[in-house]
Amino acid sequence: MTPEQTALRKSILESRPHTGLSGPFGPWLAVPSIAGPSQQLGRTVRYETSLSMRESELVILLTGAKFKSEAEFDIHVGEATRAGIGLDVINKIPRGLLLSQERGKKEGVDNLNVEFSLENVKKHMIPQLEKEISTEGKGDLQRDIPIVLFTAELLETNTVSDESYATTKQMLGGDDSILVEIVAIVGYYAYVAYTLNVFRIASSSS
């Protein structure tokens, strides 16, 4: 390990005392000039946006589902539940046939065979999310729903329509900055998902 890698490894371990080099940090450490900025960007999109932790986790889970990253999705299930997202909502996120080829064998998960799409998010996830907000008082109907729909459309089509952009912007306060934040979270966690998938980083529940 080079001195640069050693210093960066120490920095990562200090900033992540509970998780250490888990997730994408092991592979990234092979190229410190990538690992350093990646760590900084991850910290920014995770903790320094205007989105609540609940809202961020909705975006992250959708991204993990789209890219079929079991490790990313499973790691963030715990984070999402701590942020107030119920398992009934999480289990309705369409994930399709996972890369491990395990078709619906994970206990408590009933949507592994429903492929990710905006339509399937609307059909399966949104009703459960609306129910959770209305009956349990979790989240904000005027924010959670547009954030989820914007994210799902972006993930399915690689862009959003002018109508979706304008509607989401208006519902989230009329400022472009929150849309920049959502796109940044999706982009970063897509990068994480690719890393986890390519380097076969195991799911925490495997």
Side-chain angles (χ1 to χ4, degrees), residues 71-98:
E72 179 168 271
F73 193 95
D74 290 346
I75 288 167
H76 281 275
V77 165
E79 298 290 335
T81 56
R82 283 189 286 274
I85 303 171
L87 287 175
D88 287 343
V89 171
I90 294 170
N91 290 341
K92 291 296 182 181
I93 298 174
R95 299 173 65 187
L97 181 63
L98 299 178

Side-chain angles (χ1 to χ4, degrees), residues 7-34:
L8 184 56
R9 182 179 185 276
K10 181 180 178 182
S11 172
I12 293 170
L13 291 174
E14 288 174 350
S15 65
R16 294 163 54 88
H18 301 297
T19 53
L21 293 176
S22 64
F25 289 96
W28 287 349
L29 195 59
V31 187
S33 59
I34 290 176

Side-chain angles (χ1 to χ4, degrees), residues 62 118 121-122 126 144-154 160 168:
L62 288 165
L118 174 59
V121 167
K122 289 179 179 178
I126 293 296
D144 285 9
I145 303 302
I147 286 171
V148 166
L149 293 177
F150 182 92
T151 301
E153 182 175 342
L154 173 60
V160 296
T168 307

Side-chain angles (χ1 to χ4, degrees), residues 113-185:
N113 296 327
V114 179
E115 287 298 331
F116 185 93
S117 70
L118 174 59
E119 187 60 34
N120 281 334
V121 167
K122 289 179 179 178
K123 180 179 179 182
H124 296 278
M125 181 186 178
I126 293 296
Q128 191 63 47
L129 186 60
E130 291 174 334
K131 179 181 178 182
E132 176 176 87
I133 294 170
S134 62
T135 63
E136 300 179 33
K138 297 178 179 178
D140 182 341
L141 194 66
Q142 299 304 312
R143 287 180 61 89
D144 285 9
I145 303 302
I147 286 171
V148 166
L149 293 177
F150 182 92
T151 301
E153 182 175 342
L154 173 60
L155 286 166
E156 180 181 5
T157 68
N158 300 315
T159 187
V160 296
S161 68
D162 291 343
E163 180 182 3
S164 295
Y165 187 99
T167 299
T168 307
K169 177 180 174 180
Q170 180 182 16
M171 294 187 73
L172 298 178
D175 194 333
D176 290 298
S177 62
I178 192 168
L179 303 185
V180 173
E181 291 172 338
I182 294 169
V183 171
I185 294 169

